[in-house]
Coordinates of all heavy atoms in Angstrom, one line a residue:
L150 N 68.7 59.9 -80.8 CA 70.1 59.6 -81.0 C 70.2 58.5 -82.1 O 71.2 58.5 -82.9 CB 70.8 59.1 -79.8 CG 71.2 60.2 -78.8 CD1 71.7 59.7 -77.5 CD2 72.1 61.3 -79.4
V151 N 69.2 57.6 -82.2 CA 69.3 56.6 -83.3 C 69.2 57.3 -84.7 O 70.1 57.1 -85.5 CB 68.2 55.6 -83.1 CG1 68.1 54.6 -84.3 CG2 68.3 54.8 -81.8
G152 N 68.2 58.1 -84.8 CA 68.0 58.8 -86.1 C 69.2 59.7 -86.5 O 69.7 59.8 -87.6
L153 N 69.6 60.5 -85.4 CA 70.7 61.5 -85.6 C 72.0 60.7 -86.0 O 72.7 61.2 -86.9 CB 70.9 62.3 -84.3 CG 71.7 63.6 -84.4 CD1 71.0 64.6 -85.4 CD2 71.7 64.2 -83.1
S154 N 72.3 59.7 -85.3 CA 73.6 58.9 -85.5 C 73.5 58.2 -86.9 O 74.5 58.2 -87.6 CB 73.8 57.9 -84.4 OG 73.8 58.5 -83.2
F155 N 72.4 57.7 -87.3 CA 72.2 57.1 -88.6 C 72.5 58.1 -89.7 O 73.2 57.9 -90.6 CB 70.8 56.5 -88.7 CG 70.7 55.7 -90.0 CD1 71.2 54.4 -90.2 CD2 70.0 56.3 -91.1 CE1 71.0 53.7 -91.4 CE2 69.8 55.6 -92.3 CZ 70.3 54.3 -92.4
A156 N 71.8 59.3 -89.5 CA 72.0 60.4 -90.5 C 73.4 60.9 -90.5 O 73.9 61.2 -91.6 CB 71.0 61.5 -90.1
K157 N 74.1 61.0 -89.4 CA 75.5 61.4 -89.4 C 76.4 60.4 -90.1 O 77.2 60.8 -90.9 CB 76.0 61.5 -88.0 CG 75.8 62.9 -87.3 CD 76.6 62.9 -86.0 CE 76.2 64.2 -85.2 NZ 77.1 64.4 -84.1
G158 N 76.1 59.2 -89.9 CA 76.9 58.1 -90.6 C 76.7 58.2 -92.1 O 77.7 58.2 -92.8
L159 N 75.5 58.4 -92.5 CA 75.2 58.5 -93.9 C 75.9 59.7 -94.5 O 76.5 59.7 -95.6 CB 73.7 58.6 -94.2 CG 72.9 57.4 -94.5 CD1 71.5 57.8 -94.8 CD2 73.5 56.6 -95.7
A160 N 75.8 60.8 -93.8 CA 76.3 62.1 -94.3 C 77.8 62.0 -94.4 O 78.4 62.5 -95.4 CB 75.9 63.3 -93.4
V161 N 78.5 61.4 -93.5 CA 79.9 61.3 -93.5 C 80.3 60.3 -94.7 O 81.2 60.6 -95.5 CB 80.5 60.8 -92.2 CG1 82.0 60.4 -92.3 CG2 80.3 61.8 -91.1
A162 N 79.6 59.2 -94.8 CA 80.0 58.2 -95.8 C 79.7 58.7 -97.2 O 80.5 58.5 -98.1 CB 79.1 56.9 -95.6
L163 N 78.6 59.5 -97.4 CA 78.3 60.0 -98.7 C 78.9 61.4 -99.0 O 78.7 61.9 -100.1 CB 76.7 60.0 -98.9 CG 76.0 58.7 -98.8 CD1 74.5 59.0 -98.7 CD2 76.3 57.8 -99.9
N164 N 79.4 62.0 -97.9 CA 80.0 63.3 -98.0 C 78.9 64.3 -98.5 O 79.1 65.1 -99.5 CB 81.2 63.4 -98.9 CG 82.0 64.6 -98.8 OD1 81.9 65.3 -97.8 ND2 82.8 65.0 -99.8
K165 N 77.8 64.3 -97.8 CA 76.7 65.2 -98.1 C 76.4 66.1 -96.9 O 76.7 65.8 -95.8 CB 75.4 64.4 -98.4 CG 75.5 63.4 -99.5 CD 75.6 64.1 -100.9 CE 75.9 63.0 -101.9 NZ 76.1 63.5 -103.2

Side-chain angles (χ1 to χ4, degrees):
L150 287 174
V151 174
L153 196 60
S154 303
F155 185 79
K157 272 193 189 189
L159 265 184
V161 171
L163 299 170
N164 194 22
K165 302 289 176 186

